[in-house]
Amino acid sequence: MRDEPGETAVPLFPPRRRLPRRPRLPRPEGPALPRRRTAVKLLVVGGLASVFAAQALGALLPHVPLLLAATAASLAAEGVLHRWGRGMVSLFAKSHADVTVRHVLRDLLLVVGLLRLGEQHREGAYAPLVAGLLVLYALHWAIQAVSVLVRRTRTLPVVTRNIDASALRLTPAPPVLLRRPGYRLTVFGLPSTAGLLATVAADAPVWGAAGLGVSLAVAVTGLGALSLRLLPGRRPAGEQEVLDWFEGWLARYRPTVGLYFSGGASSAYQANMWLEPLARLAERPVIVLRERFMVERIAATDVPVVCLPKVTTLMRLEHSTLRVLLHPSNSGKTSQVLRIPTVKHAFVNHGESDKLSSCNPYAKAYDEVWVAGPAARERYALAEVGVEDKDVVEIGRPQLDAVRPCAGPPAPGAFTTVLYAPTWEGWDGNPGNTSVVEAGENLVRALLADPGVRLLYKPHPLTGSVDPRAGAADLRIRELVRAANRARGGARPDASASAGTVRRTTDPEGLTAAGFRAAADQAERMLLRSAPEPGRAGALARAAAAREEAYWASLPEGEHQVVTGARPPLYFCFNRSDLLISDVSSVISDFLASGKPYAVANTSGLAEDVFRKSFPTVAAATVLTPDAAGVPALLDTVRHPERDKLAGERAALSLRLLGPADPPSQERFGAAVRALSAVAEAHRARTVERLAAGTPLPGPRPPAADGTAARRPAQREGA
């Protein structure tokens, strides 16, 4: 929006208005839920403590019925805890009362009971049982030590997907029973505990001996099975062998462009949004990760995936054919890969908005910054963060090919689908970052009050991670949606039948699921996720599209939805929506590709005219106040396009934010990759020429004749 004569221009990034921070409260999940969870935890702890106290009392009195009942109750409690109380495991571990300690204590009390029950001259009859228990515990510790060694041999320096790793002698992982010490001791020790119980009841040591014999036999078998995996011919390839194999794969595949990503578990969406544009390139792409867990977070793709946790392994990319690395986000480990001089780096971001995060000063560390359209170029220029205009390349948003253009208003009598997709609270504490806290519930109530509205609520994955108030408001909004669905009623399809329909319709051949065992570790997953079959990429795309269609078809017409997780993707929600309500974020920039109306909630405290000038992406939006008073009029313009006065402004803003539609974004993206690759090639060629000519390159100076490092000539004063 241009300034009228006589007006004072408001800067793009006005000073942030700092409001007093409210006290940080515990994140509520419903008024009584935290108290209920605390009560359950106290009940479990108190119950186990009472059972062990009763067992100790029965052993010391001695009282056989009490000892038997308390021991049986403690075993039942262990089963319940293992099946339904996984959240209590860490609590007991922090209290040094994990399952191993509890099992030893249980057996110890049984032995004490035996000694108290028997006459003094019979203590020798129970000595072999005590010795057998000690041997069982020794075997347990030996199994744990061997299990650690096996795990280390299976922890490879490189983790891959979509690459044939059969040369690394990978095998299925050992059973979970042999890898989890507490669970293993409970299962292996169950026969011995049962035998001791029978001995207490019948005063016959033979039962204890029989139970111990079974436990010892099972433990010896488990130890032998694990030990065999340490034999030279049964171990996976060693570290150096794996690194040599990786370099050989790089030489055979000859990657030219890569997507580099490092981050937390909830940030995988930032990389996933670039998978399809990367796969459509005419180059030989690769995905480079740094965290092992991230290999499983990357969505289905045919692009080879390599995880290089160590910096020394990462540096092997320097001598590969890799020319360009694309960075969808900044992270602490980004600086490590920027040290590779033979690779050029482009920051592509994971979305653009008017917030300061879209022109982070870290961007100047990259060789180029790739943006969608002219607005982002202007944003970097106004921010003055050190990014030169010559290093900014406009490529559009290739992901938006999946966004369908507006097909007109909702049909008469049909529901008006509204997508409310607020962003998260951010790190700077600015109250205008997210509308969830101050406006979210009002907006949702206003939308749900219209019987012709179907609401899709899609909160940001990080909502509530900084401000507990945002997390609490998010949960209240979800409850409003559930209550509205209960009030709306209507027949619901069978949940299991709907899920089965989605699976059959979208993934008939298991294209998007590898079907791993629960016990599979990373080495086994590498073995199973080998090089994809030819044509699988197209089948994956068709399966993904069919899955989304089946998902929506499986839902009751008009039912409000809370959309979380990666499915359905945001762009598929765009296609189902007639209107977007969001905050100042990249969501509204991407939604402009549809040409549909959108609104932005103003919780910044700024006047509307100042708000519009401060955030250019709001120029073509309906601005909503925190009380959501403008929602009815907004819905009216969606249903009656002739009353929509912002359609022309949306088209102009889309051109400014996303760039021209011709040539397509994917084509411009590919051209930018090829251009930066050519720059990297030219740099390598110059380096080779200098080495051939004997021209020294920057690096450590050769030692002097006396063996000391050569000193640089002293600079003149003022030089």
Side-chain angles (χ1 to χ4, degrees), residues 486-507:
R486 290 193 296 268
R488 177 164 287 183
R492 287 192 51 82
D494 179 68
S496 59
S498 299
T501 301
V502 172
R503 287 194 298 270
R504 290 193 301 272
T505 304
T506 63
D507 206 9

PDB file of all heavy atoms in Angstrom, residues 486-507:
ATOM      1  N   ARG A 486     -20.350 -32.544  18.762  1.00  0.00           N
ATOM      2  CA  ARG A 486     -21.370 -33.291  19.511  1.00  0.00           C
ATOM      3  C   ARG A 486     -22.741 -32.644  19.343  1.00  0.00           C
ATOM      4  O   ARG A 486     -23.759 -33.334  19.204  1.00  0.00           O
ATOM      5  CB  ARG A 486     -20.994 -33.359  20.992  1.00  0.00           C
ATOM      6  CG  ARG A 486     -19.801 -34.250  21.289  1.00  0.00           C
ATOM      7  CD  ARG A 486     -19.679 -34.528  22.775  1.00  0.00           C
ATOM      8  NE  ARG A 486     -19.411 -33.313  23.538  1.00  0.00           N
ATOM      9  CZ  ARG A 486     -18.187 -32.873  23.844  1.00  0.00           C
ATOM     10  NH1 ARG A 486     -17.123 -33.554  23.422  1.00  0.00           N
ATOM     11  NH2 ARG A 486     -18.026 -31.780  24.548  1.00  0.00           N
ATOM     12  N   ALA A 487     -22.753 -31.310  19.336  1.00  0.00           N
ATOM     13  CA  ALA A 487     -24.027 -30.611  19.177  1.00  0.00           C
ATOM     14  C   ALA A 487     -24.572 -30.746  17.764  1.00  0.00           C
ATOM     15  O   ALA A 487     -25.795 -30.845  17.560  1.00  0.00           O
ATOM     16  CB  ALA A 487     -23.857 -29.137  19.533  1.00  0.00           C
ATOM     17  N   ARG A 488     -23.678 -30.762  16.785  1.00  0.00           N
ATOM     18  CA  ARG A 488     -24.128 -30.878  15.394  1.00  0.00           C
ATOM     19  C   ARG A 488     -24.674 -32.265  15.119  1.00  0.00           C
ATOM     20  O   ARG A 488     -25.606 -32.449  14.340  1.00  0.00           O
ATOM     21  CB  ARG A 488     -22.962 -30.536  14.454  1.00  0.00           C
ATOM     22  CG  ARG A 488     -23.278 -30.699  12.990  1.00  0.00           C
ATOM     23  CD  ARG A 488     -22.241 -29.985  12.118  1.00  0.00           C
ATOM     24  NE  ARG A 488     -22.409 -28.541  12.168  1.00  0.00           N
ATOM     25  CZ  ARG A 488     -21.686 -27.667  11.452  1.00  0.00           C
ATOM     26  NH1 ARG A 488     -20.724 -28.125  10.653  1.00  0.00           N
ATOM     27  NH2 ARG A 488     -21.909 -26.380  11.537  1.00  0.00           N
ATOM     28  N   GLY A 489     -24.106 -33.280  15.749  1.00  0.00           N
ATOM     29  CA  GLY A 489     -24.611 -34.645  15.612  1.00  0.00           C
ATOM     30  C   GLY A 489     -24.430 -35.168  14.207  1.00  0.00           C
ATOM     31  O   GLY A 489     -23.515 -34.790  13.475  1.00  0.00           O
ATOM     32  N   GLY A 490     -25.299 -36.063  13.820  1.00  0.00           N
ATOM     33  CA  GLY A 490     -25.194 -36.691  12.505  1.00  0.00           C
ATOM     34  C   GLY A 490     -24.504 -38.033  12.609  1.00  0.00           C
ATOM     35  O   GLY A 490     -23.754 -38.320  13.547  1.00  0.00           O
ATOM     36  N   ALA A 491     -24.786 -38.874  11.641  1.00  0.00           N
ATOM     37  CA  ALA A 491     -24.209 -40.220  11.642  1.00  0.00           C
ATOM     38  C   ALA A 491     -22.735 -40.169  11.311  1.00  0.00           C
ATOM     39  O   ALA A 491     -22.297 -39.422  10.439  1.00  0.00           O
ATOM     40  CB  ALA A 491     -24.948 -41.093  10.631  1.00  0.00           C
ATOM     41  N   ARG A 492     -21.966 -40.948  12.026  1.00  0.00           N
ATOM     42  CA  ARG A 492     -20.536 -41.050  11.774  1.00  0.00           C
ATOM     43  C   ARG A 492     -20.233 -42.423  11.203  1.00  0.00           C
ATOM     44  O   ARG A 492     -20.767 -43.430  11.654  1.00  0.00           O
ATOM     45  CB  ARG A 492     -19.731 -40.872  13.064  1.00  0.00           C
ATOM     46  CG  ARG A 492     -19.694 -39.439  13.573  1.00  0.00           C
ATOM     47  CD  ARG A 492     -18.657 -39.296  14.679  1.00  0.00           C
ATOM     48  NE  ARG A 492     -17.367 -39.825  14.274  1.00  0.00           N
ATOM     49  CZ  ARG A 492     -16.490 -39.147  13.536  1.00  0.00           C
ATOM     50  NH1 ARG A 492     -16.777 -37.953  13.104  1.00  0.00           N
ATOM     51  NH2 ARG A 492     -15.328 -39.684  13.229  1.00  0.00           N
ATOM     52  N   PRO A 493     -19.334 -42.488  10.217  1.00  0.00           N
ATOM     53  CA  PRO A 493     -18.939 -43.804   9.703  1.00  0.00           C
ATOM     54  C   PRO A 493     -18.134 -44.549  10.745  1.00  0.00           C
ATOM     55  O   PRO A 493     -17.553 -43.951  11.655  1.00  0.00           O
ATOM     56  CB  PRO A 493     -18.085 -43.460   8.478  1.00  0.00           C
ATOM     57  CG  PRO A 493     -17.568 -42.081   8.759  1.00  0.00           C
ATOM     58  CD  PRO A 493     -18.641 -41.386   9.544  1.00  0.00           C
ATOM     59  N   ASP A 494     -18.119 -45.872  10.608  1.00  0.00           N
ATOM     60  CA  ASP A 494     -17.337 -46.696  11.521  1.00  0.00           C
ATOM     61  C   ASP A 494     -15.865 -46.342  11.388  1.00  0.00           C
ATOM     62  O   ASP A 494     -15.313 -46.308  10.291  1.00  0.00           O
ATOM     63  CB  ASP A 494     -17.535 -48.176  11.197  1.00  0.00           C
ATOM     64  CG  ASP A 494     -16.719 -49.064  12.108  1.00  0.00           C
ATOM     65  OD1 ASP A 494     -17.016 -49.119  13.303  1.00  0.00           O
ATOM     66  OD2 ASP A 494     -15.765 -49.678  11.592  1.00  0.00           O
ATOM     67  N   ALA A 495     -15.217 -46.027  12.529  1.00  0.00           N
ATOM     68  CA  ALA A 495     -13.829 -45.546  12.495  1.00  0.00           C
ATOM     69  C   ALA A 495     -12.895 -46.578  11.898  1.00  0.00           C
ATOM     70  O   ALA A 495     -12.035 -46.260  11.072  1.00  0.00           O
ATOM     71  CB  ALA A 495     -13.375 -45.170  13.911  1.00  0.00           C
ATOM     72  N   SER A 496     -13.039 -47.846  12.300  1.00  0.00           N
ATOM     73  CA  SER A 496     -12.147 -48.880  11.785  1.00  0.00           C
ATOM     74  C   SER A 496     -12.378 -49.101  10.298  1.00  0.00           C
ATOM     75  O   SER A 496     -11.438 -49.294   9.524  1.00  0.00           O
ATOM     76  CB  SER A 496     -12.351 -50.180  12.553  1.00  0.00           C
ATOM     77  OG  SER A 496     -13.699 -50.620  12.428  1.00  0.00           O
ATOM     78  N   ALA A 497     -13.644 -49.044   9.866  1.00  0.00           N
ATOM     79  CA  ALA A 497     -13.931 -49.224   8.444  1.00  0.00           C
ATOM     80  C   ALA A 497     -13.365 -48.075   7.632  1.00  0.00           C
ATOM     81  O   ALA A 497     -12.812 -48.272   6.540  1.00  0.00           O
ATOM     82  CB  ALA A 497     -15.439 -49.333   8.232  1.00  0.00           C
ATOM     83  N   SER A 498     -13.470 -46.843   8.165  1.00  0.00           N
ATOM     84  CA  SER A 498     -12.917 -45.690   7.450  1.00  0.00           C
ATOM     85  C   SER A 498     -11.414 -45.804   7.324  1.00  0.00           C
ATOM     86  O   SER A 498     -10.836 -45.540   6.267  1.00  0.00           O
ATOM     87  CB  SER A 498     -13.293 -44.400   8.187  1.00  0.00           C
ATOM     88  OG  SER A 498     -14.692 -44.253   8.246  1.00  0.00           O
ATOM     89  N   ALA A 499     -10.754 -46.204   8.414  1.00  0.00           N
ATOM     90  CA  ALA A 499      -9.299 -46.354   8.360  1.00  0.00           C
ATOM     91  C   ALA A 499      -8.905 -47.420   7.361  1.00  0.00           C
ATOM     92  O   ALA A 499      -7.939 -47.263   6.602  1.00  0.00           O
ATOM     93  CB  ALA A 499      -8.763 -46.690   9.754  1.00  0.00           C
ATOM     94  N   GLY A 500      -9.651 -48.521   7.336  1.00  0.00           N
ATOM     95  CA  GLY A 500      -9.351 -49.571   6.371  1.00  0.00           C
ATOM     96  C   GLY A 500      -9.541 -49.105   4.952  1.00  0.00           C
ATOM     97  O   GLY A 500      -8.760 -49.452   4.058  1.00  0.00           O
ATOM     98  N   THR A 501     -10.584 -48.294   4.729  1.00  0.00           N
ATOM     99  CA  THR A 501     -10.808 -47.759   3.385  1.00  0.00           C
ATOM    100  C   THR A 501      -9.649 -46.886   2.953  1.00  0.00           C
ATOM    101  O   THR A 501      -9.176 -46.965   1.813  1.00  0.00           O
ATOM    102  CB  THR A 501     -12.115 -46.957   3.354  1.00  0.00           C
ATOM    103  OG1 THR A 501     -13.191 -47.807   3.727  1.00  0.00           O
ATOM    104  CG2 THR A 501     -12.372 -46.394   1.964  1.00  0.00           C
ATOM    105  N   VAL A 502      -9.176 -46.042   3.853  1.00  0.00           N
ATOM    106  CA  VAL A 502      -8.046 -45.179   3.518  1.00  0.00           C
ATOM    107  C   VAL A 502      -6.827 -46.008   3.167  1.00  0.00           C
ATOM    108  O   VAL A 502      -6.126 -45.752   2.191  1.00  0.00           O
ATOM    109  CB  VAL A 502      -7.744 -44.216   4.694  1.00  0.00           C
ATOM    110  CG1 VAL A 502      -6.463 -43.453   4.437  1.00  0.00           C
ATOM    111  CG2 VAL A 502      -8.902 -43.251   4.894  1.00  0.00           C
ATOM    112  N   ARG A 503      -6.551 -47.049   3.970  1.00  0.00           N
ATOM    113  CA  ARG A 503      -5.362 -47.872   3.692  1.00  0.00           C
ATOM    114  C   ARG A 503      -5.488 -48.593   2.351  1.00  0.00           C
ATOM    115  O   ARG A 503      -4.551 -48.627   1.559  1.00  0.00           O
ATOM    116  CB  ARG A 503      -5.159 -48.879   4.825  1.00  0.00           C
ATOM    117  CG  ARG A 503      -4.645 -48.275   6.113  1.00  0.00           C
ATOM    118  CD  ARG A 503      -4.160 -49.387   7.041  1.00  0.00           C
ATOM    119  NE  ARG A 503      -5.241 -50.292   7.391  1.00  0.00           N
ATOM    120  CZ  ARG A 503      -6.034 -50.133   8.452  1.00  0.00           C
ATOM    121  NH1 ARG A 503      -5.880 -49.099   9.233  1.00  0.00           N
ATOM    122  NH2 ARG A 503      -6.991 -51.007   8.722  1.00  0.00           N
ATOM    123  N   ARG A 504      -6.648 -49.193   2.096  1.00  0.00           N
ATOM    124  CA  ARG A 504      -6.805 -49.948   0.852  1.00  0.00           C
ATOM    125  C   ARG A 504      -6.764 -49.035  -0.362  1.00  0.00           C
ATOM    126  O   ARG A 504      -6.230 -49.389  -1.410  1.00  0.00           O
ATOM    127  CB  ARG A 504      -8.129 -50.714   0.887  1.00  0.00           C
ATOM    128  CG  ARG A 504      -8.162 -51.873   1.863  1.00  0.00           C
ATOM    129  CD  ARG A 504      -9.376 -52.734   1.597  1.00  0.00           C
ATOM    130  NE  ARG A 504     -10.611 -51.978   1.730  1.00  0.00           N
ATOM    131  CZ  ARG A 504     -11.269 -51.817   2.872  1.00  0.00           C
ATOM    132  NH1 ARG A 504     -10.790 -52.362   3.978  1.00  0.00           N
ATOM    133  NH2 ARG A 504     -12.399 -51.137   2.926  1.00  0.00           N
ATOM    134  N   THR A 505      -7.323 -47.839  -0.222  1.00  0.00           N
ATOM    135  CA  THR A 505      -7.408 -46.949  -1.365  1.00  0.00           C
ATOM    136  C   THR A 505      -6.070 -46.326  -1.699  1.00  0.00           C
ATOM    137  O   THR A 505      -5.751 -46.087  -2.856  1.00  0.00           O
ATOM    138  CB  THR A 505      -8.428 -45.826  -1.074  1.00  0.00           C
ATOM    139  OG1 THR A 505      -9.665 -46.418  -0.733  1.00  0.00           O
ATOM    140  CG2 THR A 505      -8.608 -44.939  -2.285  1.00  0.00           C
ATOM    141  N   THR A 506      -5.266 -46.071  -0.695  1.00  0.00           N
ATOM    142  CA  THR A 506      -4.090 -45.246  -0.916  1.00  0.00           C
ATOM    143  C   THR A 506      -2.783 -46.008  -0.921  1.00  0.00           C
ATOM    144  O   THR A 506      -1.799 -45.524  -1.464  1.00  0.00           O
ATOM    145  CB  THR A 506      -4.002 -44.176   0.189  1.00  0.00           C
ATOM    146  OG1 THR A 506      -3.834 -44.842   1.438  1.00  0.00           O
ATOM    147  CG2 THR A 506      -5.267 -43.352   0.253  1.00  0.00           C
ATOM    148  N   ASP A 507      -2.724 -47.151  -0.303  1.00  0.00           N
ATOM    149  CA  ASP A 507      -1.442 -47.823  -0.173  1.00  0.00           C
ATOM    150  C   ASP A 507      -1.601 -49.317  -0.416  1.00  0.00           C
ATOM    151  O   ASP A 507      -1.258 -50.128   0.432  1.00  0.00           O
ATOM    152  CB  ASP A 507      -0.873 -47.567   1.231  1.00  0.00           C
ATOM    153  CG  ASP A 507       0.648 -47.674   1.242  1.00  0.00           C
ATOM    154  OD1 ASP A 507       1.234 -47.772   0.156  1.00  0.00           O
ATOM    155  OD2 ASP A 507       1.221 -47.664   2.332  1.00  0.00           O
TER     156      ASP A 507
END
